[in-house]
Amino acid sequence: MTAWDRRNLLQLEGLSREDIVELLDAAERHVDAVRGKTPPRATLAGRIVANLFFEDSTRTRGSFAVAAHRLGAAVIDLSSAGSSVSKGETIVDTALTVEAMGVNAIVVRARPAGAAHLVAEAVAVPVINAGDGRHEHPTQGLLDLLTMRQHLGDMTGRIVAIVGDIANSRVARSNVHALTTIGAHVRLIGPPALVSGFFESVAAASAPGTVQVSHELDPVLPLVDVVMVLRVQFERDSDISADYHELFGLTAARAARLKPEAIVMHPGPMNRGLEIDSEVADDPTRSVIRTQVTNGVAVRMAVLELLLGGG
Ligand code: CP
């Protein structure tokens, strides 16, 4: 599935620039409500959203629940431990089961790439991919774009460095698709073993200068508008050398070489002192990591409304 069917949100690959701008504009309209400045509207009152999280999550799981509550919807929340998945029930059977209970949408996070697509093929209610293995994390890509747009305006021609464990990152995949669709340029930076396969082929197939792979961070820093630092995913067996922090860690000294208006992002959770130092992560002038989290609720409100017809 490539083009967006507007029934489910499974990936950002295939969305047009207009689709992405529509979603960002819709999310922007919820930001004041998320910040408590305006009352949210209960546009999804009476609806039920099923959160099926078969991989650990704090931000995505919590913010989908907060987003649904803010719109007046109820949430049921299932994970592997404590559900019949622990007895061997499949993710698709679990989804069919909650659909039979009458839920109105299913949010799914699972370790296998393609899991959300399988669920979407099996059920009739809207399905939202909350992260499937190394494939995509579309609402993360949208909240990242919203955060960049708020700080930098139109991203056309802006340069975004994505740094670290890229090969394992669904966040990087969703961002590469979305950023190139809206006209930004991407620099993928990390050790050779962590910028491999899919990303090398994307860079090779892209228009000159659009997506480039580099294995050195320092020369790129003064040129970029955004540094998106990625977590080293030890749970996916990422193998890093002892000098990883020395070569790729975003330290205060490195951050000092960024343009004055450049921003620092991280999807979380962070390995502080490895891919990013606390001085940078907590820097109130450059770091927008908390804003990303706030925007995550707004994006998920927008996506739920769009797919459930409550907008
Ligand atoms: N960014 C992100 O997906 O974080 P969680 O794993 O905590 O949901």
Side-chain angles (χ1 to χ4, degrees):
M1 191 183 299
T2 50
W4 189 29
D5 62 8
R6 300 178 75 89
R7 185 172 73 89
N8 309 297
L9 182 63
L10 305 177
Q11 57 190 32
L12 295 186
E13 183 180 10
L15 268 67
S16 67
R17 183 185 171 93
E18 291 70 30
D19 294 331
I20 291 171
V21 170
E22 178 191 358
L23 283 162
L24 298 185
D25 289 348
E28 190 70 65
R29 289 194 286 274
H30 288 297
V31 169
D32 278 349
V34 178
R35 292 187 185 280
K37 293 182 184 167
T38 56
R41 293 182 304 128
T43 54
L44 298 185
R47 310 294 184 88
I48 302 172
V49 176
N51 248 359
L52 307 186
F53 275 70
F54 305 118
E55 245 192 358
D56 293 343
S57 168
T58 295
R59 278 147 288 270
T60 314
R61 182 180 199 156
S63 61
F64 265 112
V66 170
H69 283 300
R70 290 235 183 250
L71 295 170
V75 178
I76 66 161
D77 203 15
L78 296 178
S79 51
S80 307
S83 77
S84 289
V85 170
S86 69
K87 303 173 196 167
E89 187 165 41
T90 66
I91 293 170
V92 168
D93 278 340
T94 306
L96 288 166
T97 301
V98 296
E99 182 184 45
M101 294 174 191
V103 305
N104 303 103
I106 294 175
V107 179
V108 62
R109 169 172 289 194
R111 197 171 174 83
H117 285 77
L118 285 179
V119 170
E121 282 165 13
V123 301
V125 296
V127 175
I128 303 168
N129 181 5
D132 60 329
R134 296 177 177 83
H135 174 230
E136 278 223 36
H137 192 348
T139 54
Q140 178 72 44
L142 292 170
L143 74 89
D144 290 337
L145 250 61
L146 181 62
T147 308
M148 292 180 214
R149 194 176 78 162
Q150 286 170 346
H151 285 83
L152 300 168
D154 182 2
M155 289 299 292
T156 308
R158 294 280 197 174
I159 304 177
V160 179
I162 304 179
V163 182
D165 188 353
I166 292 164
N168 285 314
S169 178
R170 55 197 176 207
V171 175
R173 281 189 190 231
S174 289
N175 268 282
V176 167
H177 289 307
L179 286 164
T180 53
T181 300
I182 63 161
H185 297 174
V186 183
R187 302 288 175 265
L188 301 167
I189 303 158
L194 296 184
V195 194
S196 54
F198 166 79
F199 293 97
E200 286 175 328
S201 53
V202 167
S206 71
T210 307
V211 181
Q212 290 178 358
V213 170
S214 166
H215 304 303
E216 280 186 281
L217 176 57
D218 288 312
V220 177
L221 288 173
L223 310 175
V224 302
D225 300 291
V226 178
V227 183
M228 182 185 296
V229 184
L230 298 180
R231 182 172 63 89
V232 178
Q233 298 194 43
F234 293 109
E235 77 275 22
R236 296 192 210 281
D237 299 325
S238 294
D239 190 16
I240 56 168
S241 58
D243 57 1
Y244 184 86
H245 177 262
E246 189 186 322
L247 295 175
F248 297 103
L250 192 58
T251 60
R254 284 201 166 105
R257 300 185 54 233
L258 293 166
K259 291 183 199 174
E261 73 276 18
I263 58 173
V264 171
M265 307 178 73
H266 193 305
M270 293 181 273
N271 294 307
R272 288 174 180 261
L274 179 59
E275 70 259 3
I276 189 167
D277 283 1
S278 287
E279 275 174 283
V280 184
D282 301 329
D283 175 356
T285 58
R286 282 204 191 282
S287 171
V288 296
I289 294 170
R290 298 264 177 82
T291 307
Q292 288 175 263
V293 175
T294 303
N295 283 336
V297 179
V299 160
R300 287 154 187 147
M301 288 171 77
V303 171
L304 287 171
E305 270 195 335
L306 182 79
L307 298 186
L308 289 169

